[in-house]
Amino acid sequence: MSKDIRIKKGLDIKLIGEAKKVTENAISSNVFTLKPEDFHSIIPKLSIKVGAKLKAGESVFYNKANEEMKFPSPVSGEVIDIIRGEKRKILAVKIQADSEQQFFDFGIKNPKEMKADAIKSHLLASGCWPFIMQRPYAVIANPEKTPKSIFISAYASAPLAANYDYVLAGKENELQAAVTALSKLTSGEVHVSVGKNANSPLVGLNNITLHKVSGPHPSGNVGTQIAKIDPVNKGEVVWTITPQDLVIIGELLLTGKFNAERIIALAGSFVTAPKYYKTKIGADISSIVEGKLNEGNSRIISGNVLTGTTQSLKGSLGYYNNVVTVIPEGDDYEFFGWTMPVFNKISTSRALTFSWLFPNKKFDLNTNTNGEHRAFVTTGNYEEVFPLDIYPIQLLKSCMYKDLDEMEQLGMYEVAPEDFALTEFVCVSKQPHQEIIRKGLDLMLKEIG
């Protein structure tokens, strides 16, 4: 049974610089980077040494806790550098791409004829497993557990997010192959959410339960959809996967190749002509943004402005990201800071800004936070932007004083850091909500598992 989901609480942050629906090839990146930090809670063990030659899809490292879980090279080429930090911790593996790409052949598979165990083994061996995430804990799914349902959100409500209807156009065959395979891995249903008026290639697929979503951000967050359709209780597991990663899984099944190609949005008010670019996972940021930015001081973010990570030109595209956002760096000092009424700031509070007078105005936001960290100020504005049936401030506080029982009772199994991106954005106390939740989830994973 599908059901329409209408979200009332939330906040749409309308920013200048949405990507036009035009796709070009990004400059070919010479070097591709895999960063273990993209795979939270995984301890990597290298499968290769510097100088090794790899085909696209061959393992670069694997998970120490489960050696079958492999992390593949997005390209064929030579391993040119392994960057280590303290205690020889692996920070990054750099691969110089061949001019002619070679793919490791994992064999063409028909998911209709495969059993669950064969599908799992195939996804693990080919390096596609890390695309599957789980709640609780917001980490890569444990292949030994069976999820009660699988969720795919094909509706992106975050500021300047890539439009899934556009980037997935024409990929029906890959999407269907992936969904057919995933449907065998759950005892329940594969829930797919699309925008209410979407023209999504996922709409006509078999083996799915379709939901139409409307309302402000975070209506597109998979956590919001899980909470409304099939909430996670203690002892239960739900898996999630993004549509762009479904395409890679589908292509693996149909062709036998791990093709790390991605269409990403280059967006933001600092981009001269925001549009879409075809690139690959782990590409250099410079190959995406070089020559495409305005003059001046900018902040480059792999991901969206609420949940992405700041990158330099020497950085690389995050493993799970399909947008690079570039906004002005907020390095101008504002007299009186957060007490001045301002027109060009977004706010849920009518007290300090007049932006509510212009609900459809698009804003040119910079990175100024206007204020320093202070103890939590209880204003009630978190609840306005938080659609889950959870008390956000109480959960944040229980994470800060590490009370596992209270975290459990307050709904910690349901949440991921991204669910707290908006409460962080509107927080007058300037507390790092996403980081607090991530540390809380890590503690639970370690203590309860």
Side-chain angles (χ1 to χ4, degrees), residues 338 369-377 400 427-431:
W338 62 286
T369 59
N370 293 306
E372 72 283 9
H373 296 288
R374 46 182 97 70
F376 271 115
V377 180
M400 289 172 85
C427 179
V428 271
S429 316
K430 308 299 171 205
Q431 291 283 352

Side-chain angles (χ1 to χ4, degrees), residues 117-142:
D117 284 349
I119 290 168
K120 276 186 185 179
S121 301
H122 190 55
L123 295 179
L124 285 161
S126 61
C128 280
W129 192 266
F131 293 133
I132 305 172
M133 307 298 285
Q134 72 164 51
R135 306 273 170 118
Y137 311 127
V139 291
I140 293 170
N142 178 352

